[in-house]
Amino acid sequence: MLVGTAGVLYSLYSIVIHQNQYRQSAEKLDGLRKIYQESSLNPGQLESEKQHDQKLKNHEELQDLNEDYVGWIDVLGTTISYPIVMGEDNEYYLKHNYYRERDFVGSIFMDYRNSRDKLDKNTIIYGHNMKDDSMFGSLEDLLDQEFFEKHQTITLNYPDGQTYKWELFSAYATTDVEWMRTDFSKQADFARYLRSVKNKSVILSETEVGEEVTILTLSTCTDRDNDERIVVHAKLIRGKS
């Protein structure tokens, strides 16, 4: 009986600690979001010169906090609105937050093989699938056709003030790693890659994707299989690649 009681108390303690970690991580991210949103525009609003200068200043402030900052991502209509960092590998920011502190929530980070200052044919961004839907926890919702149709726009804002808009065209869960390719030596290779990720999609999309496109890939883990990943792809529709 004592052993059972001790087990219950330990479980409750673990839950409290876990919730406190979630809260602390959320507060730190909210602070970063406040810096970024000072210059955010409403949908359809034209950017003035003053707002553009303020946006650059806010990006500089975020870079001062972490020199690994490479931009900000927003997925319209979801909880995804985060700074993006890039480390020297794809491991560090799995367990470190924006302030480079140990944190099980980690960070939203770009694949270290991608370029910091220009778009590759396939730019990949990773994030944890958190139980409270933070980070990339809401990516799994895009596997639902109805949800997908209402949330197809992704925005990337870079520190130089450039804004890139993307339109989703594929979403699926997979255990293979073909989607992780960032370099394509031949156009034919990229064309085959596009056909493959389009065919894997569990949602129907009317978005046309030709081999001349530039794409963005978002990925997170699942709780069903250690090797399974939820992957979504989007094509660039505004901004210069």
Side-chain angles (χ1 to χ4, degrees), residues 41-49 51:
L41 299 175
N42 294 321
Q45 183 181 352
L46 295 177
E47 183 177 67
S48 67
E49 184 176 344
Q51 286 169 317

Side-chain angles (χ1 to χ4, degrees), residues 171-187:
Y172 54 91
T174 183
T175 56
D176 72 38
V177 295
E178 181 189 22
W179 58 270
M180 294 184 69
R181 291 189 62 180
T182 59
D183 182 54
F184 303 88
S185 58
K186 298 179 180 179
Q187 195 73 359

Side-chain angles (χ1 to χ4, degrees), residues 187-216:
Q187 195 73 359
D189 288 340
F190 188 56
R192 281 191 291 271
Y193 175 88
L194 290 175
R195 286 195 298 271
S196 176
V197 300
K198 183 89 172 176
N199 290 336
K200 289 177 182 176
S201 182
V202 297
I203 54 90
L204 299 176
S205 171
E206 296 181 358
T207 301
E208 295 183 4
V209 184
E211 60 186 57
E212 76 287 349
V213 301
T214 298
I215 69 170
L216 174 70

